[in-house]
Amino acid sequence: MATLAELYQGVIIEHDRSPRNFRTLAAPTHRAEGTNPLCGDEVSLELSVNSVGQITDVAFQGRGCAVSKASASLLTTAVQGKTVEEARELFDGFHGLLTGKPLPNVKLGKLAVFEGLAAYPMRVKCATLAWHAMKQALDETK
């Protein structure tokens, strides 16, 4: 049976090597970029949101460490098909998980593998970079 650390490493490595939705969208409705000046990670996140507030497509581009890329990849799979409000709840839940303020009502699924990063503030910034970009993109078009 795999330990949590092995599971964490496996998911991070797998999403780093084969990131999901690593592309651009033809006509995104929301877009934002994020940079972590401390380590040089960069991400550009695009979303397509329909008229009823459902995220119909999401993609990212960028460069960075395995944690940054894996987190962006998992973000795209987690918010695909969700409403904007559900995506905001996921942001709050993921951010809370990594900052020691977990929200018990938010189901994070595979995102929970990042829990161990809470002890490493520099890695938290890598893991939340794409999430902050998503929040910025959604906030700027309210």
Side-chain angles (χ1 to χ4, degrees):
M1 176 177 239
T3 66
L4 184 58
E6 291 169 335
L7 176 63
Y8 158 76
Q9 290 177 348
V11 170
I12 299 294
I13 290 168
E14 205 275 327
H15 276 266
D16 176 46
R17 291 182 179 163
S18 300
R20 296 353 174 242
N21 303 303
F22 191 75
R23 56 188 165 86
T24 58
L25 300 183
T29 58
H30 299 70
R31 184 176 194 284
E33 295 181 5
T35 301
N36 183 347
L38 298 176
C39 66
D41 290 352
E42 297 176 345
V43 67
S44 173
L45 190 82
E46 298 177 332
L47 302 110
S48 288
V49 179
N50 66 17
S51 61
V52 295
Q54 182 181 29
I55 298 169
T56 58
D57 204 358
V58 56
F60 79 102
Q61 291 277 290
R63 62 184 177 91
C65 66
V67 168
S68 177
K69 191 187 290 183
S71 181
S73 175
L74 283 161
L75 176 155
T76 65
T77 62
V79 302
Q80 180 86 26
K82 300 249 189 285
T83 66
V84 169
E85 286 310 309
E86 290 170 331
R88 290 182 196 280
E89 288 176 12
L90 270 178
F91 169 87
D92 291 340
F94 188 67
H95 192 263
L97 176 76
L98 293 176
T99 58
K101 301 170 191 159
L103 301 176
N105 297 334
V106 179
K107 298 189 183 332
L108 295 173
K110 285 184 177 180
L111 298 170
V113 298
F114 289 95
E115 183 176 23
L117 293 178
Y120 306 97
M122 290 297 293
R123 305 308 285 175
V124 169
K125 292 178 187 281
C126 298
T128 58
L129 180 63
W131 292 83
H132 283 287
M134 177 190 75
K135 186 175 183 306
Q136 179 185 346
L138 296 175
D139 287 349
E140 289 181 353
T141 53
K142 277 185 175 177

XYZ file of all heavy atoms in Angstrom, residues 41-90:
360
model
N 8.743 30.954 -11.350
C 7.598 30.261 -11.952
C 6.689 31.276 -12.630
O 6.456 32.364 -12.104
C 6.783 29.519 -10.889
C 7.506 28.312 -10.315
O 8.572 27.944 -10.842
O 6.992 27.737 -9.340
N 6.176 30.904 -13.797
C 5.246 31.756 -14.539
C 4.099 30.897 -15.052
O 4.318 29.758 -15.484
C 5.930 32.399 -15.745
C 7.057 33.331 -15.394
C 7.781 33.871 -16.619
O 7.601 33.324 -17.722
O 8.532 34.828 -16.452
N 2.896 31.455 -15.006
C 1.736 30.741 -15.514
C 0.789 31.729 -16.181
O 0.658 32.879 -15.754
C 1.013 29.954 -14.391
C 0.369 30.887 -13.383
C -0.027 29.008 -14.962
N 0.171 31.274 -17.258
C -0.885 32.006 -17.929
C -2.084 31.066 -17.934
O -1.992 29.930 -18.411
C -0.468 32.355 -19.361
O -1.552 32.918 -20.048
N -3.199 31.528 -17.369
C -4.384 30.684 -17.229
C -5.535 31.293 -18.019
O -5.760 32.508 -17.938
C -4.765 30.568 -15.747
C -5.825 29.534 -15.449
C -5.202 28.152 -15.359
C -6.538 29.851 -14.155
N -6.233 30.474 -18.775
C -7.377 30.932 -19.569
C -8.586 30.071 -19.249
O -8.463 28.856 -19.053
C -7.064 30.820 -21.059
C -5.913 31.684 -21.504
C -5.572 31.496 -22.975
O -5.820 30.403 -23.530
O -5.044 32.454 -23.562
N -9.744 30.730 -19.198
C -10.998 30.033 -18.938
C -12.048 30.487 -19.934
O -12.041 31.641 -20.362
C -11.525 30.347 -17.531
C -10.611 30.018 -16.368
C -10.112 31.283 -15.732
C -11.319 29.159 -15.361
N -12.946 29.591 -20.268
C -14.148 29.937 -21.025
C -15.329 29.686 -20.108
O -15.521 28.567 -19.612
C -14.284 29.082 -22.284
O -13.327 29.458 -23.235
N -16.084 30.754 -19.839
C -17.246 30.679 -18.953
C -18.478 31.031 -19.784
O -18.496 32.057 -20.474
C -17.090 31.658 -17.764
C -18.308 31.600 -16.858
C -15.811 31.350 -16.990
N -19.502 30.176 -19.717
C -20.698 30.445 -20.522
C -21.632 31.428 -19.820
O -21.342 31.902 -18.716
C -21.403 29.137 -20.908
C -21.985 28.402 -19.715
O -22.158 28.984 -18.635
N -22.278 27.125 -19.893
N -22.755 31.703 -20.443
C -23.667 32.742 -19.960
C -24.330 32.411 -18.623
O -24.832 33.306 -17.953
C -24.751 33.017 -21.009
O -25.495 31.834 -21.230
N -24.302 31.139 -18.218
C -24.897 30.778 -16.924
C -23.828 30.591 -15.846
O -24.117 30.106 -14.753
C -25.793 29.518 -17.027
C -26.994 29.797 -17.905
C -25.014 28.316 -17.508
N -22.593 30.980 -16.168
C -21.530 30.946 -15.166
C -20.854 29.605 -14.975
O -20.232 29.359 -13.947
N -20.915 28.745 -15.984
C -20.252 27.440 -15.913
C -18.944 27.502 -16.695
O -18.899 28.035 -17.811
C -21.135 26.351 -16.496
C -20.500 24.969 -16.391
C -21.386 23.887 -16.994
O -22.162 24.146 -17.906
N -21.262 22.686 -16.471
N -17.890 26.955 -16.106
C -16.582 26.905 -16.768
C -16.623 25.759 -17.774
O -16.662 24.585 -17.394
C -15.455 26.721 -15.738
C -15.426 27.928 -14.782
C -14.110 26.538 -16.430
C -14.536 27.756 -13.568
N -16.614 26.112 -19.045
C -16.733 25.093 -20.087
C -15.387 24.612 -20.600
O -15.299 23.543 -21.192
C -17.560 25.633 -21.270
O -16.923 26.816 -21.768
C -18.985 25.947 -20.834
N -14.341 25.410 -20.379
C -13.006 24.982 -20.778
C -11.983 25.786 -19.977
O -12.244 26.926 -19.593
C -12.776 25.189 -22.274
C -11.708 24.263 -22.840
O -11.109 23.472 -22.063
O -11.459 24.324 -24.053
N -10.849 25.196 -19.733
C -9.779 25.855 -18.978
C -8.453 25.280 -19.451
O -8.351 24.090 -19.746
C -9.980 25.683 -17.450
C -10.077 24.237 -17.058
C -8.886 26.393 -16.658
N -7.458 26.155 -19.565
C -6.144 25.732 -20.040
C -5.073 26.605 -19.402
O -5.360 27.683 -18.889
C -6.075 25.850 -21.565
N -3.851 26.110 -19.444
C -2.743 26.912 -18.915
C -1.502 26.704 -19.769
O -1.362 25.708 -20.483
C -2.456 26.578 -17.444
C -1.654 25.323 -17.225
C -0.293 25.398 -16.933
C -2.229 24.076 -17.308
C 0.464 24.258 -16.723
C -1.484 22.912 -17.107
C -0.140 23.000 -16.810
N -0.605 27.674 -19.660
C 0.726 27.613 -20.251
C 1.679 28.166 -19.204
O 1.263 28.887 -18.299
C 0.817 28.485 -21.510
C 0.025 27.976 -22.695
C 0.792 26.918 -23.454
O 1.775 27.208 -24.109
N 0.357 25.677 -23.340
N 2.937 27.896 -19.356
C 3.884 28.475 -18.423
C 5.079 27.579 -18.204
O 5.231 26.547 -18.851
N 5.906 28.040 -17.280
C 7.087 27.253 -16.922
C 7.317 27.401 -15.428
O 6.985 28.427 -14.827
C 8.296 27.706 -17.712
C 8.699 29.138 -17.449
C 9.851 29.542 -18.349
N 10.177 30.932 -18.133
C 11.081 31.352 -17.246
N 11.739 30.476 -16.523
N 11.312 32.625 -17.087
N 7.846 26.332 -14.884
C 8.079 26.364 -13.449
C 8.440 24.989 -12.926
O 8.702 24.058 -13.696
N 8.445 24.879 -11.644
C 8.827 23.625 -10.995
C 7.709 22.593 -11.131
O 6.602 22.895 -11.579
C 9.138 23.895 -9.535
S 7.693 24.413 -8.583
N 8.010 21.380 -10.710
C 7.049 20.289 -10.797
C 5.793 20.591 -9.989
O 4.676 20.293 -10.435
C 7.691 18.993 -10.314
N 5.950 21.189 -8.821
C 4.788 21.507 -7.980
C 3.895 22.525 -8.681
O 2.673 22.374 -8.720
C 5.239 22.024 -6.593
C 4.073 22.616 -5.825
C 5.893 20.912 -5.797
N 4.483 23.554 -9.248
C 3.725 24.597 -9.933
C 2.959 24.024 -11.122
O 1.763 24.274 -11.291
C 4.682 25.701 -10.389
O 4.004 26.680 -11.114
N 3.645 23.258 -11.951
C 3.005 22.701 -13.139
C 1.927 21.679 -12.768
O 0.837 21.676 -13.336
C 4.035 22.062 -14.061
C 3.451 21.712 -15.415
C 4.401 20.931 -16.301
C 5.548 21.757 -16.795
N 6.424 21.005 -17.728
N 2.215 20.823 -11.787
C 1.235 19.811 -11.374
C 0.000 20.471 -10.765
O -1.131 20.043 -11.015
C 1.867 18.847 -10.376
N 0.207 21.512 -9.986
C -0.926 22.204 -9.381
C -1.805 22.850 -10.447
O -3.032 22.765 -10.382
C -0.425 23.262 -8.391
O -1.511 23.925 -7.795
N -1.191 23.484 -11.445
C -1.956 24.090 -12.534
C -2.718 23.009 -13.309
O -3.889 23.195 -13.658
C -1.026 24.865 -13.463
N -2.069 21.887 -13.557
C -2.711 20.782 -14.268
C -3.917 20.265 -13.486
O -5.011 20.087 -14.037
C -1.692 19.657 -14.487
O -2.312 18.531 -15.056
N -3.737 20.057 -12.183
C -4.840 19.557 -11.357
C -5.952 20.602 -11.231
O -7.131 20.256 -11.159
C -4.324 19.136 -9.981
C -3.613 17.784 -9.995
C -2.730 17.621 -8.775
C -4.631 16.657 -10.083
N -5.587 21.874 -11.190
C -6.598 22.942 -11.173
C -7.500 22.815 -12.391
O -8.725 22.893 -12.267
C -5.917 24.306 -11.160
C -6.816 25.548 -11.245
C -6.112 26.736 -10.609
C -7.251 25.885 -12.643
N -6.896 22.640 -13.569
C -7.704 22.602 -14.790
C -8.673 21.425 -14.791
O -9.785 21.549 -15.288
C -6.840 22.556 -16.067
O -6.114 21.332 -16.114
C -5.909 23.754 -16.152
N -8.256 20.316 -14.217
C -9.173 19.169 -14.173
C -10.224 19.341 -13.086
O -11.335 18.838 -13.215
C -8.411 17.843 -13.965
O -7.726 17.884 -12.718
C -7.419 17.591 -15.082
N -9.872 20.057 -12.033
C -10.807 20.228 -10.904
C -11.921 21.219 -11.219
O -13.047 21.040 -10.759
C -10.046 20.667 -9.653
N -11.631 22.282 -11.961
C -12.651 23.316 -12.174
C -13.432 23.141 -13.480
O -14.453 23.804 -13.666
C -12.060 24.747 -12.105
C -11.381 24.983 -10.765
C -11.148 25.040 -13.268
N -12.970 22.271 -14.352
C -13.672 22.020 -15.619
C -15.107 21.572 -15.328
O -15.326 20.618 -14.586
C -12.951 20.931 -16.412
C -13.573 20.585 -17.732
C -13.097 21.499 -18.843
O -12.021 22.051 -18.783
N -13.916 21.649 -19.853
N -16.088 22.293 -15.864
C -17.498 21.945 -15.684
C -18.133 22.523 -14.427
O -19.339 22.417 -14.241
N -17.323 23.121 -13.577
C -17.855 23.728 -12.348
C -18.382 25.129 -12.657
O -18.041 25.737 -13.666
C -16.746 23.840 -11.290
C -16.145 22.502 -10.890
C -16.532 22.179 -9.488
C -15.822 20.980 -8.933
N -16.277 19.712 -9.426
N -19.203 25.639 -11.750
C -19.624 27.027 -11.862
C -18.510 27.914 -11.327
O -17.603 27.439 -10.629
C -20.896 27.300 -11.048
O -20.595 27.138 -9.660
C -22.039 26.374 -11.466
N -18.594 29.197 -11.632
C -17.595 30.141 -11.128
C -17.594 30.123 -9.597
O -16.523 30.135 -8.985
C -17.877 31.562 -11.674
C -17.045 32.603 -10.965
C -17.636 31.596 -13.178
N -18.753 30.061 -9.004
C -18.819 30.027 -7.532
C -18.183 28.755 -6.983
O -17.494 28.794 -5.961
C -20.256 30.176 -7.049
C -20.784 31.593 -7.193
C -19.849 32.658 -6.610
O -19.430 32.509 -5.455
O -19.535 33.625 -7.330
N -18.400 27.621 -7.632
C -17.764 26.376 -7.188
C -16.247 26.462 -7.329
O -15.514 25.951 -6.485
C -18.325 25.189 -7.981
C -19.760 24.855 -7.642
C -20.383 23.847 -8.595
O -19.976 23.782 -9.788
O -21.302 23.139 -8.160
N -15.774 27.100 -8.400
C -14.326 27.275 -8.589
C -13.756 28.170 -7.493
O -12.661 27.924 -6.981
C -14.041 27.865 -9.974
N -14.502 29.204 -7.123
C -14.049 30.073 -6.022
C -13.993 29.301 -4.703
O -13.083 29.493 -3.907
C -14.985 31.273 -5.877
C -14.907 32.265 -7.000
C -15.851 33.453 -6.709
N -16.108 34.250 -7.868
C -15.283 35.168 -8.348
N -14.145 35.392 -7.732
N -15.590 35.859 -9.427
N -14.959 28.426 -4.485
C -14.943 27.598 -3.267
C -13.736 26.667 -3.272
O -13.106 26.461 -2.234
C -16.235 26.783 -3.163
C -17.449 27.604 -2.808
C -18.734 26.791 -2.813
O -18.676 25.551 -2.876
O -19.799 27.423 -2.768
N -13.410 26.100 -4.434
C -12.225 25.244 -4.528
C -10.962 26.041 -4.225
O -10.055 25.557 -3.556
C -12.119 24.601 -5.910
C -12.798 23.265 -6.095
C -12.654 22.786 -7.533
C -12.273 22.221 -5.140
